[in-house]
Amino acid sequence: MNNEAEQEKNFVKIIARKIAEKLHVDDPEHLQQRDYENLNLKIEEKTGVNLSVSTLKRITKNQFQRIPQKNTLNALAQFLDYEDWYDFKNNYATAAKTITKKQRLYFKLPKRMLFIPVAVIAIALFAIILLNSEPAKSYSEVSFTSRTNVSSGVPNTVIFDYDISMYDFDSAFIQQSWDARRRAEIKKNEKYSTSVYYYPGYHRAKIMINDQLVREIPVYITTDGWLSLIQNPENDLIPIYVNEDCIKNGQIYLPPETVKTHHIDLSKNNHSTCFYFVNDDFSGDSDNFGFETQVKNNIDEGGQACQVCEISVFGEYGRHVVQLSNPGCIGSIYQKFGPVYAMGSNNDLSAFGTNMDKWNKVKLEISNKMVTIFLNDEEIYTTSYEGSNGALKGVSYRFAGSGAVDYTRLYNPKGELTFSCDF
């Protein structure tokens, strides 16, 4: 390999190592499937670029034959808070040269080679680099639309209409949303593909050609009121829908006795109960609103050891997420607003640790992307994010084991109540 291409490959090795470090993994070779799936989500939410799990594996495991596409490298650099790939390389130029020096094979050039003009060598090296890289294509003529088979509810089959016949490619897929596990291969000369959505929400389906994001469209899967479900520990892609009425005694709650009737082994402590409300009744601007709720995850009522509760408010372009737990488990939770994550593994989220055996009042206020969180009427956290999160689309709750919601309220920027459910 020529020196320039070798150095470019060393930069890729460096960025793979830096990404692994950001995920708190000491070596890219130790990344697991779930790490890649989470990385796929985080890169897309931060940069808007979807890099498939297979692409991420090839890069981090140094299994690529050609230098990755420029838009792929730019996305990786931006994920690490650099402006682009060029900016990243400028910051790590010394490290890349050090690797190159260690790996270089020394040999003597024939004397006549020493007289070849430097300009000719530079042009040759540039041509080799171009041949080893894959420039991004526009795919501007691709068409992509969707229609649902039923007006609301899950599971819901979505029919995708597409046309990619004008392009040649190695592979093409339709991906349901951020989750790279939910993708299906599509063919050059076919026009339709169907996909079953098992979770409600405001999803963003994508056409991927040669691992490049080509088109993205919204897929709005709504609920008829509140939907209760159990995340199946054996297969979290397909949940268990609960038909029993979970709204009783002024709360929505799925007790362990009901969970057990759905063939869940409670002794394994690895299931979650969830509640979704996703439809046009929950609406507004997800960059300017107020939200208030009261939750608990009592151990004696089916909560699991860490008593984690996740509250998600859906927008067009992603979720705002508030997670609570008992004080001993704050290292395992995270907070997310717009594209910005705060992981408990490298942030002090101790204020989100609380007594989950009792009711906890959570209030979320967002004003022009400025976020303030209150827990039991005490301000505990502030942050901000950039880029619009779009219109409000719904809310969900997820509990480790069985947890309960007392009420859900939504306010517009004027403080006026626009949605209320007191169960």
Side-chain angles (χ1 to χ4, degrees):
M1 184 183 291
N2 67 80
N3 186 51
E4 294 293 332
E6 181 183 5
Q7 188 162 317
E8 191 78 355
K9 193 169 185 179
N10 287 333
F11 279 121
V12 177
K13 292 179 182 177
I14 293 169
I15 203 166
R17 189 170 67 246
K18 293 298 176 183
I19 287 172
E21 290 174 1
K22 187 165 183 173
L23 299 176
H24 308 287
V25 176
D26 58 354
D27 188 326
E29 291 289 334
H30 298 159
L31 291 169
Q32 303 297 314
Q33 178 69 19
R34 190 61 181 171
D35 295 321
Y36 288 112
E37 292 166 1
N38 287 334
L39 183 59
N40 164 271
L41 167 64
K42 292 178 181 179
I43 290 175
E44 182 178 7
E45 290 191 329
K46 186 165 186 175
T47 70
V49 177
N50 185 295
L51 302 182
S52 71
V53 168
S54 59
T55 294
L56 293 171
K57 283 183 177 180
R58 285 198 301 270
I59 291 172
T60 56
K61 294 182 181 297
N62 193 27
Q63 294 175 346
F64 50 90
Q65 298 299 315
R66 295 182 177 183
I67 302 300
Q69 297 178 9
K70 198 58 169 288
N71 67 322
T72 297
L73 298 174
N74 284 338
L76 294 174
Q78 290 162 3
F79 176 66
L80 294 177
D81 298 320
Y82 293 93
E83 184 177 343
D84 52 24
W85 179 239
Y86 181 78
D87 183 32
F88 173 83
K89 291 197 296 182
N90 276 347
N91 280 269
Y92 287 96
T94 302
K97 288 178 181 176
T98 301
I99 295 175
T100 302
K101 186 174 181 180
K102 290 179 180 178
Q103 296 176 342
R104 187 177 297 138
L105 296 175
Y106 291 93
F107 57 92
K108 292 184 178 180
L109 294 171
K111 289 184 178 179
R112 73 179 73 182
M113 288 286 291
L114 300 177
F115 296 96
I116 297 177
V118 174
V120 175
I121 296 175
I123 291 171
L125 291 175
F126 182 70
I128 292 172
I129 292 172
L130 285 179
L131 289 172
N132 279 278
S133 63
E134 300 179 24
K137 295 182 180 180
S138 66
Y139 297 108
S140 58
E141 296 180 34
V142 168
S143 64
F144 186 36
T145 59
S146 71
R147 46 202 164 95
T148 55
N149 195 44
V150 295
S151 59
S152 66
V154 284
N156 198 328
T157 295
V158 173
I159 303 168
F160 294 105
D161 303 86
Y162 66 91
D163 187 359
I164 55 175
S165 61
M166 65 289 296
Y167 296 106
D168 294 321
F169 48 84
D170 295 326
S171 64
F173 298 87
I174 289 179
Q175 186 170 308
Q176 277 195 359
S177 60
W178 64 267
D179 192 341
R181 296 174 298 173
R182 301 297 302 175
R183 56 163 50 186
E185 186 174 6
I186 54 177
K187 304 297 184 182
K188 175 184 174 76
N189 295 315
E190 295 180 355
K191 303 295 182 183
Y192 306 100
S193 178
T194 61
S195 187
V196 180
Y197 282 72
Y198 294 97
Y199 287 90
Y202 198 84
H203 309 278
R204 302 196 72 82
K206 315 162 197 305
I207 278 190
M208 312 287 295
I209 297 180
N210 292 339
D211 287 330
Q212 180 179 330
L213 175 61
V214 174
R215 284 283 184 278
E216 186 176 66
I217 58 173
V219 177
Y220 193 23
I221 306 297
T222 61
T223 63
D224 183 14
W226 286 93
L227 170 71
S228 303
L229 58 85
I230 304 166
Q231 281 194 326
N232 181 1
E234 304 301 326
N235 180 7
D236 65 347
L237 292 177
I238 304 177
I240 299 170
Y241 305 112
V242 178
N243 295 322
E244 293 89 342
D245 185 5
C246 296
I247 300 177
K248 295 178 180 178
N249 304 317
Q251 63 182 11
I252 186 168
Y253 166 63
L254 217 170
E257 296 76 18
T258 302
V259 174
K260 192 174 182 179
T261 64
H262 290 272
H263 310 291
I264 298 295
D265 185 350
L266 300 180
S267 66
K268 292 183 177 181
N269 291 315
N270 61 355
H271 71 279
S272 299
T273 58
C274 308
F275 309 107
Y276 284 80
F277 188 98
V278 183
N279 62 48
D280 290 335
D281 290 338
F282 196 94
S283 61
D285 179 0
S286 71
D287 301 318
N288 293 277
F289 70 97
F291 174 83
E292 186 179 310
T293 189
Q294 196 156 257
V295 294
K296 66 176 177 177
N297 194 8
N298 192 307
I299 289 286
D300 293 334
E301 297 171 358
Q304 293 173 8
C306 278
Q307 299 173 280
V308 175
C309 166
E310 178 180 287
I311 306 164
S312 297
V313 178
F314 297 98
E316 286 182 273
Y317 302 108
R319 298 183 300 158
H320 300 308
V321 179
V322 177
Q323 287 195 342
L324 305 176
S325 73
N326 67 40
C329 292
I330 58 166
S332 66
I333 64 174
Y334 72 91
Q335 314 301 321
K336 176 185 174 293
F337 303 100
V340 179
Y341 280 85
M343 310 300 292
S345 55
N346 58 356
N347 289 272
D348 182 4
L349 300 182
S350 57
F352 293 89
T354 185
N355 183 357
M356 293 299 294
D357 288 335
K358 300 180 179 180
W359 287 113
N360 285 270
K361 180 180 176 182
V362 179
K363 190 174 183 180
L364 166 63
E365 292 181 351
I366 299 183
S367 177
N368 295 321
K369 307 180 190 71
M370 299 293 295
V371 181
T372 307
I373 303 291
F374 298 84
L375 179 60
N376 298 321
D377 296 318
E378 179 181 349
E379 181 179 318
I380 63 167
Y381 190 77
T382 60
T383 189
S384 62
Y385 61 92
E386 297 181 357
S388 173
N389 203 50
L392 288 166
K393 294 297 180 180
V395 62
S396 74
Y397 297 84
R398 182 172 65 86
F399 296 94
S402 293
V405 183
D406 184 30
Y407 62 83
T408 302
R409 295 169 189 162
L410 179 68
Y411 300 88
N412 65 21
K414 296 180 180 180
E416 299 167 339
L417 187 65
T418 59
F419 174 85
S420 179
C421 187
D422 290 335
F423 303 111

